[in-house]
């Protein structure tokens, strides 16, 4: 499993959906006055629906060990960066966890401070910034989901999703807003062989598409209930959700007779510049990369450990590895994507009328 992850750059497009910020977790001015607190702005997916996620366990253990309370704010990858930008003159958070390319955008906007967490030496060079501005804490892969109760014959290809039977039963999160939504473009351009054929396909798919969604995470409950039959997502988040949503199944679309494909979609963490509690932020980053926390990534979080010295053997790890059997893991041209992402988003808007 890790042999795939090792090859992936954290410039991989990510994910994740633009979810509503959890107001009750907001740091605010109270955090600034409390020395035993650390505020985390994070992309969704690592906190459980019912308090059983990786974040839930790790944060509880961190609070018990250090006495530092974690205040948690959740949203989409882009939204978390945007919020940090708005607060740049009065920084409220200490740690940012988001998906590529949003972690790189945060760095480019001067939001991150250099800090190499303990254990970062066990993270592949491709999975962290060379200047220690961020490092992967959970590895992951892009994927789709379908309702396995409603679809006895599950979809295998992009082309099948054009069938009238899927009309208003497909939804994917918004490219340019949600990381996973942007990843739909990246995978489509890879699978169809370029921007023009990918946009032509997505234009045709629009007939069956329900419409834009700022949140990828909110699509899974709709698929589980049968309101949707197919949606986009990512392996870690959807695998974790499937524990409480029994009708979810993960799949990777192929083009025609080709192999199903996917690419790495890791969660990357960095210390915010001018963080009100930077020392607490450093302690939390150390804890997220500790051996104890990393061993729980698969067993509790349904993801893949970022540290290469952690060899997970739990039941979840075995099942997760099995999901990727036969899937071609590709690495997009991230230099091109970084330069032309706005162009690709505009092309998608034009093609779909979004």
């Amino acid at each position: 499993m890790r042999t795939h992850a090792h090859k992936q750059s954290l410039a991989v497009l990510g994910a994740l959906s633009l979810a509503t910020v959890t107001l009750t977790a907001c740091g605010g001015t109270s955090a600034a006055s409390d020395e035993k607190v650390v505020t985390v702005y994070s992309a969704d997916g690592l906190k459980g629906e019912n308090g059983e996620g990786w974040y839930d366990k790790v944060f509880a253990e961190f609070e018990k060990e250090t006495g530092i309370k974690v205040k948690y704010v959740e949203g989409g990858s882009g939204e978390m960066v945007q919020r940090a930008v708005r607060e740049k003159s009065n920084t409220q958070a200490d740690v940012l966890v988001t998906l590529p390319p949003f972690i790189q955008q945060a760095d480019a906007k001067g939001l991150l401070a250099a800090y190499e967490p303990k254990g970062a030496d066990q993270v592949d060079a491709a999975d962290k910034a060379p200047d220690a501005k961020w490092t992967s804490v959970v590895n992951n892969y892009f994927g789709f989901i379908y309702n396995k109760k409603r679809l006895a014959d599950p979809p295998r290809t992009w082309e099948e999703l054009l069938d009238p039977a899927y009309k208003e039963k497909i939804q994917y999160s918004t490219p340019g807003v949600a990381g996973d939504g942007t990843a739909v473009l990246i995978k489509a351009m890879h699978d169809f062989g370029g921007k023009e054929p990918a946009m032509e396909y997505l234009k045709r798919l629009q007939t069956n598409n329900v419409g834009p969604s700022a949140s990828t995470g909110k699509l899974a409950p709709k698929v589980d209930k049968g309101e949707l039959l197919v949606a986009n997502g990512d392996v870690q988040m959807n695998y974790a959700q499937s524990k409480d949503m029994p009708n979810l199944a993960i799949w990777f679309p192929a083009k025609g007779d080709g192999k199903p494909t996917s690419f790495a979609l890791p969660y990357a963490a960095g210390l915010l510049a001018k963080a009100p509690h930077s020392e607490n932020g450093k302690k939390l980053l150390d804890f997220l990369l500790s051996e104890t926390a990393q061993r729980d990534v698969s067993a509790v979080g349904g993801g893949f450990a970022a540290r290469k010295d952690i060899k997970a053997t739990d039941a979840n790890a075995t099942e997760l590895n099995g999901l990727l059997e036969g899937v071609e893991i590709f690495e997009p041209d991230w230099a091109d994507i970084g330069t032309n992402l706005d162009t690709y988003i505009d092309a998608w808007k034009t093609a779909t009328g979004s």
Side-chain angles (χ1 to χ4, degrees):
M1 179 60 234
R2 287 291 302 157
T3 57
H4 292 307
H6 290 171
K7 299 178 182 177
Q8 309 307 313
S9 165
L10 265 181
V12 173
L13 197 62
L16 251 298
S17 54
L18 186 65
T20 302
V21 172
T22 307
L23 297 177
T24 56
C26 182
T29 56
S30 62
S33 62
D34 184 357
E35 292 184 355
K36 301 295 286 184
V37 71
V38 59
T39 299
V40 179
Y41 284 2
S42 178
D44 55 353
L46 293 176
K47 199 171 191 300
E49 297 287 334
N50 301 303
E52 77 290 357
W54 186 67
Y55 270 163
D56 300 287
K57 187 174 190 295
V58 172
F59 289 168
E61 291 174 347
F62 176 75
E63 291 179 354
K64 182 178 180 180
E65 182 174 308
T66 65
I68 299 170
K69 179 176 176 58
V70 178
K71 293 195 173 183
Y72 178 72
V73 181
E74 178 181 285
S77 293
E79 170 60 19
M80 291 298 90
V81 174
Q82 292 165 14
R83 180 166 179 159
V85 168
R86 292 195 299 271
E87 298 171 350
K88 191 173 181 181
S89 61
N90 182 26
T91 304
Q92 299 295 301
D94 304 296
V95 172
L96 175 69
V97 184
T98 190
L99 307 177
F102 300 102
I103 194 68
Q104 289 87 354
Q105 290 181 355
D107 188 16
K109 293 177 183 294
L111 295 178
L112 304 178
Y115 177 69
E116 184 175 8
K118 296 176 182 177
D121 60 318
Q122 292 296 330
V123 176
D124 279 346
D127 295 339
K128 59 188 177 183
D131 59 359
K133 292 291 184 65
W134 48 261
T135 183
S136 171
V137 292
V138 172
N139 281 337
N140 192 15
Y141 292 86
F142 178 62
F144 279 66
I145 49 176
Y146 69 91
N147 182 301
K148 63 183 180 182
K149 181 179 180 180
R150 294 280 303 275
L151 295 175
D153 186 18
R156 194 192 73 82
T157 69
W158 288 104
E159 290 83 357
E160 290 176 60
L161 301 182
L162 300 175
D163 191 294
Y166 288 101
K167 186 172 178 61
E168 297 186 350
K169 290 296 184 179
I170 294 173
Q171 191 171 21
Y172 59 90
S173 50
T174 308
V177 175
D180 278 334
T182 312
V184 171
L185 296 189
I186 302 306
K187 177 172 161 57
M189 288 192 293
H190 170 271
D191 289 359
F192 284 90
K195 182 183 74 173
E196 297 305 325
M199 299 309 160
E200 175 58 30
Y201 169 81
L202 292 171
K203 179 180 180 179
R204 296 173 63 196
L205 183 65
Q206 198 68 7
T207 299
N208 289 345
N209 186 23
V210 171
S213 171
S215 169
T216 309
K218 293 185 182 300
L219 298 181
K222 294 181 180 180
V223 173
D224 183 61
K225 294 174 184 176
E227 295 173 19
L228 298 172
L229 294 179
V230 171
N232 68 317
D234 64 77
V235 172
Q236 179 278 323
M237 178 175 66
N238 295 146
Y239 183 80
Q241 289 173 318
S242 70
K243 299 300 183 180
D244 296 313
M245 301 178 192
N247 297 322
L248 289 188
I250 297 170
W251 69 297
F252 307 92
K255 181 182 180 298
D257 295 330
K259 288 185 177 181
T261 68
S262 183
F263 57 90
L265 192 64
Y267 294 86
L271 182 71
L272 283 163
K274 300 180 181 177
H277 303 99
S278 60
E279 291 306 310
N280 294 346
K282 292 176 182 178
K283 291 178 182 178
L284 180 60
L285 289 171
D286 290 347
F287 201 85
L288 293 177
L289 273 182
S290 68
E291 288 190 36
T292 299
Q294 287 289 299
R295 290 189 186 283
D296 283 335
V297 168
S298 57
V300 177
F304 306 89
R307 289 180 54 154
K308 58 190 177 183
D309 60 333
I310 301 299
K311 310 297 183 184
T313 58
D314 58 89
N316 284 355
T318 300
E319 190 171 352
L320 287 163
N321 289 340
L323 284 173
L324 292 176
E325 287 183 6
V327 178
E328 177 186 291
I329 305 299
F330 69 91
E331 184 173 355
D333 184 345
W334 297 115
D336 170 73
I337 292 167
T339 301
N340 298 304
L341 181 58
D342 289 343
T343 300
Y344 298 146
I345 298 299
D346 289 343
W348 171 81
K349 290 178 179 178
T350 299
T352 61
S354 301

